[in-house]
Amino acid sequence: MSIKLTIDGKELEARPGATILQTARDYGIYIPTLCDNPALEPYGGCRLCLVEVEGMPKPTTSCTTPVTEGMKVKTVTPTVERLRKTVIELLLSDHPNDCMICERAGDCKLQEFAYFYGLRENRFYGKRRQYTKQDENPFLERNMDKCILCGLCVRVCNEVQGVGAIDIAYRGFDAKVCPSFEKDLDCEFCGQCVSVCPTGALSGRIWAKKGRTINVKEVETTCSYCGCGCQLNLHVRGNEIARVSSKPDNHNEGWLCVKGRFGYEFINSPDRLKTPLIKKDGKFTEATWDEAISYIAARFKKIVEDHSTDALAGLSSARCTNEENFLFQKFMRAVIGTNNVDHCARL
Ligand code: SF4
Ligand code: SF4
Ligand code: SF4
């Protein structure tokens, strides 16, 4: 049974157990957030999603408040707008405001809200956090000066990846995201934490200075590393990949492994094979595709003539698509005439 409520004067029906934020999103009503991600448990940390609810003495976080029958919610009032603006001011008061040289400029939620609220001056002066220690790991750049302690990285590592490599250590002004005992990060390097970070605090090490959102065009493709076939968005600048991301509405829900997210440098590698090679007198020599295919066809024919079709076998790869694998087995069975077909991912 649905729950009836009004949000901003609109009469709506919500799913039982849904929060105000989820219901607002279901109806396309925008509520700003910094610490929310629909794939993760509600957190209520950033206080940006505050709304006013009739009968409640003070504004409440819409991400953690379930809807109730007859509830009357206002998402935009002078009080919540003043509170939201103050939250952003407080975050900026302890932030390097490095937008000019930051990898995430143009794709940063903190910058976006500062722009929206027209914030330039800082009225909260005081100590700022400065972290100089850098990890030695080859994948993740962690710039904790830009961390707003939204906890998204910690939660995604725990709730989605099931690793728990990082947490928020210390409390109050000293609170910071780090691995246990502040050691260097040593984890699966899936980059899930990078993908949910709303600021430039987390980034890919190989992404540095390759191009920001405004400089790249996104090209959708399928990861070729394994049979999961995760959907990738290649951020391309010129003829080079600047970084890789994935969207939450894909079958892999936007999550990738270290290979899919960071293992793309082979594409522009100068060591990459560009033409077929045929071994002649023990040495590989460059050949055209026509030469290579004719050579293979002639060898197949000779083997079949000398030993029968079952002297040939085909081993396919999980790096190919389903369609390619289908065609491959069809070729082996219908053209070559053998059922000797196998696949590296069968077991
Ligand atoms: S994290 Fe965002 S607000 Fe901070 S310096 Fe980078 S772009 Fe600017
Ligand atoms: S890279 Fe993956 S495993 Fe490592 S901290 Fe981030 S989410 Fe956790
Ligand atoms: S590193 Fe990014 S995701 Fe993690 S708490 Fe800081 S701002 Fe949030």
Side-chain angles (χ1 to χ4, degrees):
M1 213 172 69
S2 59
I3 293 172
K4 292 190 173 62
L5 74 158
T6 64
I7 301 183
D8 295 339
K10 291 189 191 114
E11 291 184 6
L12 312 172
E13 291 189 16
R15 292 172 277 123
T19 63
I20 297 173
L21 179 64
Q22 286 162 346
T23 307
R25 281 190 180 146
D26 286 347
Y27 284 92
I29 299 167
Y30 176 72
I31 297 176
T33 63
L34 274 170
C35 75
D36 181 73
N37 184 306
L40 305 175
E41 291 295 316
Y43 187 59
C46 73
R47 322 310 281 178
L48 215 60
C49 72
L50 290 171
V51 293
E52 290 199 78
V53 177
E54 199 174 283
M56 283 196 182
K58 15 179 220 192
T60 184
T61 45
S62 62
C63 70
T64 53
T65 309
V67 291
T68 53
E69 188 67 31
M71 193 178 232
K72 288 190 170 60
V73 181
K74 285 186 182 160
T75 66
V76 186
T77 69
T79 304
V80 294
E81 282 299 281
R82 181 174 52 78
L83 291 171
R84 286 171 187 163
K85 188 174 170 188
T86 306
V87 166
I88 301 300
E89 282 181 289
L90 285 165
L91 289 172
L92 290 173
S93 74
D94 184 20
H95 194 80
N97 299 338
D98 262 350
C99 304
M100 274 187 283
I101 54 163
C102 183
E103 286 292 325
R104 288 293 294 271
D107 179 31
C108 166
K109 286 185 99 178
L110 184 59
Q111 190 189 47
E112 185 186 317
F113 290 128
Y115 168 79
F116 180 79
Y117 287 111
L119 295 171
R120 193 167 183 163
E121 301 299 318
N122 174 21
R123 62 189 171 105
F124 300 112
Y125 291 101
K127 204 173 150 194
R128 286 183 175 223
R129 293 168 304 161
Q130 288 188 315
Y131 302 120
T132 48
K133 185 174 183 295
Q134 282 294 331
D135 278 327
E136 293 299 320
N137 82 75
F139 300 107
L140 266 62
E141 189 81 42
R142 300 170 65 238
N143 194 337
M144 290 297 115
D145 294 1
K146 295 177 188 170
C147 173
I148 59 170
L149 291 171
C150 67
L152 279 166
C153 55
V154 173
R155 288 180 286 142
V156 81
C157 187
N158 203 18
E159 292 176 32
V160 173
Q161 202 62 16
V163 171
I166 45 176
D167 208 336
I168 298 181
Y170 312 109
R171 290 298 175 260
F173 187 75
D174 296 326
K176 66 172 162 184
V177 174
C178 58
S180 52
F181 306 108
E182 295 196 54
K183 289 182 182 158
D184 283 353
L185 190 62
D186 182 13
C187 61
E188 295 182 0
F189 298 114
C190 60
Q192 254 62 283
C193 50
V194 179
S195 74
V196 295
C197 182
T199 72
L202 297 177
S203 183
R205 198 148 269 177
I206 55 173
W207 300 348
K209 296 190 175 61
K210 291 279 168 54
R212 298 193 286 199
T213 316
I214 198 166
N215 311 120
V216 298
K217 73 169 182 194
E218 288 192 36
V219 180
E220 286 185 31
T221 188
T222 305
C223 180
S224 57
Y225 272 113
C226 82
C228 293
C230 292
Q231 295 298 290
L232 305 181
N233 278 58
L234 306 180
H235 301 235
V236 179
R237 187 181 194 190
N239 199 28
E240 208 181 330
I241 296 173
R243 74 181 74 92
V244 168
S245 67
S246 185
K247 290 202 159 67
D249 54 359
N250 293 330
H251 73 87
N252 50 301
E253 299 176 358
W255 313 127
L256 297 172
C257 74
V258 62
K259 293 181 288 178
R261 199 182 297 280
F262 296 116
Y264 57 82
E265 287 183 299
F266 71 91
I267 294 168
N268 291 100
S269 168
D271 299 332
R272 198 169 164 185
L273 293 182
K274 296 197 174 75
T275 61
L277 300 174
I278 298 176
K279 209 173 209 176
K280 288 180 185 163
D281 302 325
K283 279 181 81 176
F284 283 115
T285 52
E286 290 192 358
T288 64
W289 281 104
D290 280 348
E291 283 170 337
I293 290 166
S294 302
Y295 180 76
I296 292 167
R299 291 287 299 133
F300 276 8
K301 213 169 156 203
K302 181 87 173 73
I303 291 168
V304 170
E305 277 167 12
D306 291 351
H307 306 284
S308 93
T309 53
D310 278 338
L312 285 171
L315 185 61
S316 179
S317 167
R319 292 190 182 199
C320 302
T321 61
N322 282 343
E323 293 78 3
E324 287 163 338
N325 276 312
F326 175 80
L327 283 174
F328 179 76
Q329 64 82 33
K330 190 91 176 167
F331 172 78
M332 291 305 294
R333 293 186 216 277
V335 180
I336 301 287
T338 179
N339 288 324
N340 291 341
V341 185
D342 212 339
H343 188 279
C344 65
R346 179 169 60 84
L347 293 176

